Amino acid sequence: MKKVIGKQIANGIFRITDANYDGKQTLTERYDIVKVTVEEATDGATFDAETGVLKAGDLTLKFDFRPDDDDKFWANASKYLLNKFEDYKLNSTVAEGNPNSRSAPPRTGIPDMTLGLYEPGHHFGISVEVGDKERFYGLGEGSSNKLELRGRAYQNWTFYQYNEIPVPFFMSSGGWGMLINANARHFVDICEQYNDKVIVSGEDDHLDVFIFYGNYQEILKSYAKLTGKSMVLPGWAYGLTYVAPINTNQFELLHDAERFRGEKVPVDMFSIEPGWMTKFYDFSTETQWNMERFHMPDWYQKRTSTGSFVAALRRKGIHTSLWFCESYDLTDEAERVYRGDDKNQYEPWYKHLGIQTDYGIDGFKLDPADHVWTCHPELTYVNGVPQLHMHNLNQVLLTKQVYEGTAEKLGTRPMHHYCGGYIGTQKWSAFNTGDNGGQHRAMCWLLTLAMTGLSNSTIDMYVYKPESIHFGFFVPWAHYNSWTGMTQPWYAEEHLYEMFKFYDRLRYRLYPYIYSAALEAHDEALPMIRPMPLAFPEFEPTFDCVTQYMFGPSIMVCAYGDTVTLPDGKWEDYWTGKIYEGNQTIPAMFPEHTGGALFVKRGAIIPCSGTEHQCIRDYDKSIIELDIYPEGDTEYILREDDMISLEYENTEACKTVITCSAKADETVVTISAPDKDYEGKPEKRTFKLNVYGGSNNVKVVLENKLDSYSVNFTARD
């Protein structure tokens, strides 16, 4: 067996590394994608490097580590998988782009990266014995049609429309998880070749894995401890984003804005596709406005300008986002940051985005074409590493540098999204499922991404399918893409447009619940979308469920299935108010004006906006409705902050604890005072309680004596 070193990093985390590389820096650490801080561990876990046995409480894992010269292992593992994934080998089509960015010469004088960054001909392999009933979840977008991963092999390699976010992290129902800290392409065989083994194998890399142990949430917290907590978007980004047609102009955009506002269809961001550029799909760093479509002269290049279409949209409470194409060597900037230098050899790519923020642009859509779609095996980067070794890491470096650069420029939270990703993507970007539509396959990806700890996900909502409208508004940030043709929502059939408006208004009513879930995702490592095995880890009928999920702690979204399986407890049909006992499967029924079934778990407390608003700018925090579904003793924590600053990176959100105690003759609701201040926190609040069922004798206790309340009771059978 290969000689390895095992070190406990913290409670719940072990690191196992090839002994020849112990103590040497990895690229992910060098570029702050993985941050390892050794803490004193008190959980009593042990690892025996000779036997490969890790013990932590009741958990025992038996690992096997394979040397390079174990021909039998490599014949049955990596070579088998290389053949299996031949069609998705290198995606090595060379695209047109900026030749200067691709052909930048290697810089001299880089300090020696003692790791041995590129290991041609070197292999690593690790296997672990697993039980016959263990289930496995994660690996980013590795699976597009099932949630539970057992019985298949997976390739961790970013590939357009196949696996754009191949996060090398997975969890087991056996109480453990693994992060494979590898740069190059590698494979994870989850009981496909051998029913009792998980096999990880790769080429041109060395063994470096982190083993986590605990329940699912504890493992997700440990993963976030190493790779970063989930980004919290600006508050307005959790409204609706509308992507205008690719050939739109400033007058058509303003006409669309008038239509949204005139018909009271809430929206917060307009995203403009590459038609805004003088050169269509311009990969350079000298992108210019197409002045025939968008009059944006130099004198509008200040955020206080009042004359541009961007300023006109802003006055209507609508932010503007631009599409950007990228084909650039990002390692020069990564090396500058590592060295702590003030200057680069080349200008950082994100710098030219600052020109557009000066025009008032608030967001960016990062084109996947070069970094996700293509690979350039002939290219060696400024850091001396071949492209095949950087392809996966580039997905993170791009969003990391855009986040850090935009945050430094504006002093506020950035808003950008990208369909590529790898280790740590959750910290640096929002993301979507790319050019994969907005139907069931995309929904499956949102579930597997959530089981990998990624929260800020969305789809390209498809207005011609009611199911897509239904679940597309119950995702972390809602995104409607009118990219081509006449696909604005009002050009769909009338009943579909009415459905679109209905769901949009419902989303904005639920905004306090949605934004609180975003903050919880950051603070507690619980994604906003919670697949059924994450929310109900002991409920066997939904272990591989891809037709329903929890949105936040209380709302269950169902789509693309003929039935709904209800976990233990009581569940209320959100559309009809009918209450069902849990632990049963029922037909998926819903009204014609909706696109799918929707349930609330009895006991839920759901904060809602107390006033109608067409954009988040006009959301009034001082008036909150509470939809309360009494059942036993339950608690909800409303999380809030200033919705725009970077303070969330270093401090937890403000918490207001709301409890409901339901008895036969009385329902008692207690609302605590907020536990801290933040910019914009209302001094006092009006709470409007909508109580559904239970006793009509409702008592309300307010700890903040300045607050007031009213109660509306609706009986339930």
Side-chain angles (χ1 to χ4, degrees):
M1 187 164 69
K2 179 190 285 285
K3 187 176 181 181
V4 298
I5 299 291
K7 292 183 177 180
Q8 188 160 17
I9 303 302
N11 286 336
I13 309 175
F14 253 94
R15 185 177 194 174
I16 301 174
T17 307
D18 186 329
N20 293 325
Y21 294 92
D22 179 44
K24 298 180 181 179
Q25 189 181 55
T26 65
L27 270 178
T28 56
E29 291 172 279
R30 185 179 184 87
Y31 297 151
D32 282 341
I33 294 169
V34 172
K35 292 188 177 182
V36 180
T37 302
V38 178
E39 301 175 358
E40 182 179 357
T42 58
D43 60 12
T46 61
F47 174 72
D48 187 328
E50 295 298 322
T51 62
V53 174
L54 187 152
K55 292 185 177 181
D58 295 333
L59 175 69
T60 299
L61 294 175
K62 176 67 171 66
F63 294 97
D64 193 5
F65 311 99
R66 298 293 180 162
D68 290 348
D69 58 2
D70 188 338
D71 293 335
K72 182 178 179 180
F73 173 81
W74 289 105
N76 292 329
S78 192
K79 291 180 181 179
Y80 161 80
L81 293 166
L82 281 170
N83 291 330
K84 177 182 176 66
F85 292 101
E86 182 69 24
D87 290 342
Y88 307 101
K89 196 170 184 180
L90 295 176
N91 41 309
S92 57
T93 303
V94 177
E96 291 295 326
N98 177 2
N100 292 326
S101 63
R102 286 210 182 97
S103 59
R107 187 177 70 239
T108 59
I110 300 176
D112 176 33
M113 301 184 200
T114 54
L115 168 64
L117 291 174
Y118 186 51
E119 299 290 331
H122 186 82
H123 306 289
F124 76 91
I126 178 174
S127 64
V128 56
E129 297 175 5
V130 300
D132 59 0
K133 293 185 178 181
E134 275 190 64
R135 303 174 304 281
F136 301 89
Y137 302 98
L139 292 181
E141 291 179 348
S143 173
S144 62
N145 60 5
K146 67 193 301 281
L147 183 59
E148 207 274 295
L149 303 175
R150 189 171 184 134
R152 294 184 183 176
Y154 304 87
Q155 175 181 237
N156 285 328
W157 177 255
T158 307
F159 193 95
Y160 180 66
Q161 291 192 316
Y162 172 73
N163 188 357
E164 297 173 343
I165 308 179
V167 182
F169 162 70
F170 63 89
M171 301 187 291
S172 163
S173 63
W176 64 279
M178 179 187 293
L179 168 62
I180 307 151
N181 190 24
N183 306 322
R185 182 176 54 147
H186 57 280
F187 307 96
V188 184
D189 179 339
I190 300 184
C191 306
E192 180 175 89
Q193 293 184 81
Y194 305 98
N195 190 51
D196 61 347
K197 286 185 175 62
V198 171
I199 302 171
V200 178
S201 57
E203 296 186 316
D204 301 334
D205 233 322
H206 74 283
L207 176 66
D208 186 22
V209 297
F210 294 90
I211 306 300
F212 311 107
Y213 42 94
N215 60 37
Y216 291 141
Q217 185 180 0
E218 290 168 340
I219 292 170
L220 288 173
K221 277 191 172 184
S222 293
Y223 174 70
K225 187 182 188 72
L226 291 180
T227 64
K229 295 183 177 182
S230 178
M231 176 184 178
V232 181
L233 309 180
W236 50 264
Y238 293 103
L240 174 66
T241 291
Y242 164 70
V243 182
I246 196 167
N247 291 318
T248 194
N249 61 44
Q250 60 185 7
F251 299 107
E252 292 170 349
L253 276 178
L254 291 170
H255 177 269
D256 288 351
E258 292 286 355
R259 185 153 191 173
F260 273 103
R261 291 292 179 254
E263 298 185 18
K264 297 189 181 303
V265 184
V267 67
D268 266 271
M269 184 164 74
F270 275 16
S271 183
I272 309 175
E273 299 289 270
W276 73 271
M277 307 171 178
T278 300
K279 179 183 177 182
F280 199 51
Y281 285 92
D282 189 349
F283 278 80
S284 79
T285 56
E286 299 176 353
T287 313
Q288 300 293 321
W289 283 93
N290 184 328
M291 296 290 280
E292 294 181 0
R293 294 180 179 172
F294 301 95
H295 184 62
M296 295 292 281
D298 292 346
W299 57 86
Y300 284 170
Q301 195 178 340
K302 51 185 177 181
R303 292 184 70 83
T304 56
S305 171
T306 59
S308 70
F309 81 93
V310 175
L313 289 174
R314 187 182 293 273
R315 287 192 289 272
K316 293 181 176 296
I318 298 173
H319 300 260
T320 306
S321 172
L322 294 181
W323 173 298
F324 267 90
C325 305
E326 185 272 340
S327 174
Y328 210 78
D329 186 336
L330 303 169
T331 66
D332 183 57
E333 168 66 5
E335 284 297 307
R336 180 198 68 79
V337 173
Y338 173 75
R339 297 192 311 271
D341 291 349
D342 294 331
K343 294 183 179 180
N344 304 57
Q345 183 173 357
Y346 304 101
E347 182 181 60
W349 182 80
Y350 68 81
K351 282 287 188 182
H352 76 296
L353 302 184
I355 297 172
Q356 303 307 330
T357 61
D358 289 341
Y359 278 109
I361 299 301
D362 288 325
F364 302 104
K365 179 177 180 179
L366 305 176
D367 178 25
D370 194 70
H371 268 346
V372 172
W373 197 336
T374 64
C375 179
H376 309 284
E378 78 288 351
L379 179 64
T380 297
Y381 282 103
V382 166
N383 66 353
V385 179
Q387 210 278 348
L388 294 180
H389 218 61
M390 287 300 305
H391 179 67
N392 284 333
L393 294 185
N394 277 336
Q395 315 307 322
V396 188
L397 286 182
L398 175 60
T399 54
K400 180 177 185 291
Q401 291 177 12
V402 171
Y403 181 101
E404 293 175 335
T406 307
E408 181 180 15
K409 169 82 174 178
L410 296 178
T412 57
R413 298 177 204 172
M415 174 55 197
H416 53 271
H417 65 96
Y418 183 50
C419 69
Y422 196 56
I423 299 172
T425 288
Q426 75 282 348
K427 182 178 180 179
W428 306 111
S429 183
F431 41 92
N432 65 356
T433 53
D435 297 331
N436 291 285
Q439 298 198 63
H440 194 209
R441 182 187 184 197
M443 179 172 157
C444 290
W445 267 356
L446 297 193
L447 300 181
T448 60
L449 287 167
M451 292 302 284
T452 316
L454 279 69
S455 186
N456 290 302
S457 58
T458 195
I459 60 164
D460 283 353
M461 193 189 308
Y462 188 53
V463 76
Y464 298 102
K465 292 292 184 181
E467 301 94 332
S468 184
I469 297 174
H470 173 69
F471 95 88
F473 273 105
F474 289 102
V475 297
W477 60 287
H479 178 257
Y480 182 74
N481 192 344
S482 297
W483 183 76
T484 185
M486 304 300 290
T487 53
Q488 293 95 323
W490 42 82
Y491 293 134
E493 295 177 57
E494 183 175 353
H495 75 282
L496 292 172
Y497 182 39
E498 289 300 316
M499 186 182 297
F500 180 92
K501 291 189 289 186
F502 168 78
Y503 275 98
D504 189 26
R505 292 164 184 160
L506 175 58
R507 181 180 179 90
Y508 275 74
R509 180 177 183 269
L510 291 169
Y511 179 76
Y513 175 82
I514 293 170
Y515 188 68
S516 180
L519 292 170
E520 185 179 16
H522 176 270
D523 291 350
E524 301 296 334
L526 273 176
M528 298 171 72
I529 285 178
R530 299 172 191 178
M532 299 304 286
L534 178 60
F536 303 97
E538 304 302 323
F539 189 61
E540 185 174 356
T542 57
F543 283 165
D544 192 24
C545 181
V546 292
T547 56
Q548 59 193 71
Y549 59 86
M550 298 300 293
F551 184 56
S554 303
I555 297 174
M556 185 166 68
V557 181
C558 313
Y560 301 103
D562 296 328
T563 60
V564 177
T565 300
L566 302 174
D568 293 335
K570 291 184 178 181
W571 295 84
E572 179 166 325
D573 186 321
Y574 188 84
W575 305 131
T576 67
K578 183 176 180 179
I579 296 174
Y580 295 84
E581 291 291 337
N583 199 19
Q584 65 168 320
T585 297
I586 62 174
M589 298 181 291
F590 45 91
E592 288 186 0
H593 72 281
T594 69
L598 196 69
F599 287 84
V600 176
K601 186 171 176 57
R602 291 292 302 179
I605 301 168
I606 300 177
C608 303
S609 175
T611 59
E612 291 187 7
H613 52 285
Q614 299 303 303
C615 61
I616 303 306
R617 179 193 65 184
D618 298 335
Y619 162 54
D620 186 351
K621 291 183 177 181
S622 69
I623 305 175
I624 296 291
E625 288 193 20
L626 294 175
D627 288 354
I628 299 176
Y629 302 81
E631 190 70 35
D633 294 330
T634 55
E635 176 184 281
Y636 173 80
I637 299 176
L638 173 62
R639 291 173 168 84
E640 301 172 286
D641 67 3
D642 60 22
M643 300 168 60
I644 191 62
S645 80
L646 297 165
E647 285 298 311
Y648 84 90
E649 295 179 342
N650 303 309
T651 183
E652 290 192 349
C654 171
K655 299 175 185 175
T656 300
V657 179
I658 306 169
T659 62
C660 179
S661 179
K663 297 180 173 58
D665 60 347
E666 183 182 56
T667 295
V668 179
V669 178
T670 303
I671 304 173
S672 76
D675 69 349
K676 65 172 65 173
D677 288 330
Y678 61 86
E679 186 70 27
K681 182 174 79 69
E683 181 182 1
K684 59 182 180 179
R685 269 188 163 141
T686 298
F687 289 97
K688 300 178 180 180
L689 279 66
N690 302 310
V691 181
Y692 299 101
S695 171
N696 62 3
N697 180 21
V698 180
K699 179 181 178 182
V700 180
V701 179
L702 300 176
E703 292 188 2
N704 182 355
K705 301 306 179 184
L706 296 177
D707 290 345
S708 60
Y709 71 90
S710 62
V711 176
N712 178 50
F713 177 80
T714 302
R716 287 287 187 260
D717 294 333

